[in-house]
Amino acid sequence: RADGDALYVADSSGGFVGSAPVTALRRIDLTTGTELLVRPLEGRSFLGTLSAAFDGVVLFSSVAGVTAYSGTTGATLWTIHGAVSEDTDPLAQRIYLTKGSSLIGVDPQTGRIKATASGSAVNGSAGIYAVRGGIALGLDQGASGDAWAYDIAAQRVTLTSAGLPW
């Protein structure tokens, strides 16, 4: 996973890149090529699989939820149970997760919820494609799903387009 000038690559206990359980991360500086081996401070492995990296924070997702770790120290920063990683929004400085049928925007460092949109407002968050500048862009599932944009701060749909075939 890329985060600005850093690339995070998961390592397993046997030294295999990308295998589970992830016992370390290789943080590679894309400018200099230097590597930093990051290990979890609590426990023998990170919980889940590497799902995102943003603002020096790496997210691991599991059936229990999403756990955030420091991308340089391996310290656990926060956990949100029952959540699934969706996207990052560099303009709003948020990580977006779905929890139940809602989309939540959290502060990457603290996990504090900064914005929410109910699933009914955004046509079911399972259709989210991306979030940029606080606007959730989505394409509903299925061959003729509706495309839409939802302004999270204003809590309203700003664009819809019915039945885009693919």
Side-chain angles (χ1 to χ4, degrees):
R1 300 289 179 173
D3 177 20
D5 289 338
L7 176 67
Y8 293 93
V9 180
D11 266 354
S12 73
S13 60
F16 297 102
V17 173
S19 299
V22 177
T23 55
L25 288 173
R26 294 182 188 275
R27 184 183 187 278
I28 304 166
D29 184 308
L30 296 173
T31 305
T32 65
T34 58
E35 280 189 36
L36 172 69
L37 194 61
V38 180
R39 296 190 187 279
L41 289 182
E42 301 92 9
R44 298 167 48 107
S45 64
F46 293 101
L47 299 175
T49 57
L50 180 62
S51 57
F54 180 68
D55 198 26
V57 173
V58 290
L59 297 184
F60 280 78
S61 298
S62 70
V63 295
V66 175
T67 302
Y69 298 90
S70 166
T72 53
T73 67
T76 304
L77 301 174
W78 50 267
T79 298
I80 298 180
H81 297 286
V84 176
S85 176
E86 281 287 343
D87 197 14
T88 60
D89 185 351
L91 297 174
Q93 287 292 307
R94 293 183 184 140
I95 294 173
Y96 280 92
L97 312 169
T98 51
K99 184 170 181 178
S101 64
S102 294
L103 180 69
I104 58 174
V106 301
D107 179 286
Q109 300 297 322
T110 65
R112 176 192 235 155
I113 296 173
K114 298 289 197 174
T116 61
S118 75
S120 61
V122 293
N123 295 333
S125 51
I128 299 287
Y129 177 71
V131 182
R132 292 293 180 270
I135 306 293
L137 305 171
L139 181 62
D140 291 342
Q141 296 180 0
S144 294
D146 293 342
W148 45 267
Y150 184 82
D151 185 321
I152 296 168
Q155 296 284 300
R156 65 181 175 86
V157 174
T158 59
L159 169 99
T160 59
S161 176
L164 296 175
W166 47 272

